[in-house]
Amino acid sequence: DAVALQELTGNAQLNRLLGLLNGKYRGAVAQQGKGDRFEAVLVKDAGAKFIPVPVGARYALGASFQSGDGTHEVLLLSAHADAFNAAQRRMYTESLIDWAQARTQSSEVFIAGDFNFELKAANETNLYTDNVKHDSESYSHILRYFRDLGRSAGDTAINDRRIDYIFGPARLKQIGRVEVLRDAAVGRMDHWPLLVEVGL
């Protein structure tokens, strides 16, 4: 129903992708903030609305759309936290989650993206370095409001790292397939797509 993408080069790349998908999706890229890459969201719902989400010097992108049966309003955010600075990741994450949490009364909110956390999949709360301390507190802040839907799937990137996440409503009851698509990377991709199927 919806796809969150990170590190697009801009509208030209998005339009190329939408063309390859033969019109099955609508899409948008985020406004440009600090950096030369863009977050994006693809949605099958023709009535989807795309929402810029300012997060410090960066922009995330939201898409608001109807669930397949038309009974729920869904908000999906595509996010990308700083790759090199854990303190910046923490500020980004807290701001993003505060923005998202304020909208949980009117929508089923999902957040998907590359958070670049330096955490071990087997122990998300270890505190061995300043970076891990910041990242652990960022992750804990998210879990105050949202459920880590992809946790059981394991690493999502090279070097045995889990840096790509999908968070959703804590009250979510129906979760289907949860999988890291490790055979889907092509070219110089250093991440594997994370797929989560849910029922609302």
Side-chain angles (χ1 to χ4, degrees):
D1 295 284
V3 182
L5 299 169
Q6 293 77 44
E7 297 192 63
L8 268 68
T9 57
N11 277 303
Q13 189 179 29
L14 173 70
N15 291 334
R16 171 75 172 149
L17 178 58
L18 293 173
L20 291 169
L21 293 169
N22 299 313
K24 293 179 181 178
Y25 289 85
R26 292 185 63 225
V29 295
Q31 293 178 228
Q32 185 169 13
K34 184 179 180 181
D36 63 348
R37 293 293 184 266
F38 300 82
E39 283 61 74
V41 181
L42 309 181
V43 184
K44 284 187 176 177
D45 181 0
K49 298 176 182 177
F50 299 98
I51 307 162
V53 182
V55 191
R58 295 171 174 262
Y59 280 91
L61 182 69
S64 179
F65 59 97
Q66 291 291 315
S67 60
D69 61 5
T71 60
H72 294 81
E73 185 75 17
V74 178
L75 176 62
L76 172 66
L77 301 178
S78 178
H80 189 192
D82 193 285
F84 305 107
N85 188 311
Q88 290 292 329
R89 286 196 291 274
R90 182 175 176 179
M91 288 188 289
Y92 176 94
T93 299
E94 290 178 352
S95 179
L96 178 71
I97 296 306
D98 290 347
W99 190 97
Q101 195 274 332
R103 286 150 180 84
T104 56
Q105 296 301 313
S106 58
S107 300
E108 301 289 347
V109 179
F110 295 84
I111 303 154
D114 177 359
F115 283 86
N116 282 302
F117 292 150
E118 293 183 16
L119 301 171
K120 296 296 184 183
N123 180 10
E124 300 285 13
T125 58
N126 54 72
L127 301 174
Y128 298 121
T129 67
D130 286 343
N131 280 355
V132 174
K133 182 176 188 299
H134 279 302
D135 286 341
S136 178
E137 291 178 358
S138 297
Y139 181 76
S140 295
H141 182 71
I142 298 173
L143 294 186
R144 290 179 60 193
Y145 306 105
F146 297 97
R147 183 174 175 180
D148 184 351
L149 302 178
R151 184 169 185 167
S152 64
D155 300 332
T156 65
I158 59 174
N159 300 325
D160 300 320
R161 293 188 67 196
R162 180 176 180 239
I163 57 180
D164 305 285
Y165 294 78
I166 298 176
F167 300 98
R171 63 184 176 274
L172 194 64
K173 294 181 179 178
Q174 185 178 346
I175 301 177
R177 182 179 171 200
V178 177
E179 183 179 356
V180 176
L181 306 178
R182 292 186 173 83
D183 61 349
V186 296
R188 293 183 294 170
M189 287 175 60
D190 58 355
H191 297 244
W192 299 303
L194 173 61
L195 172 69
V196 175
E197 294 181 345
V198 301
L200 300 175

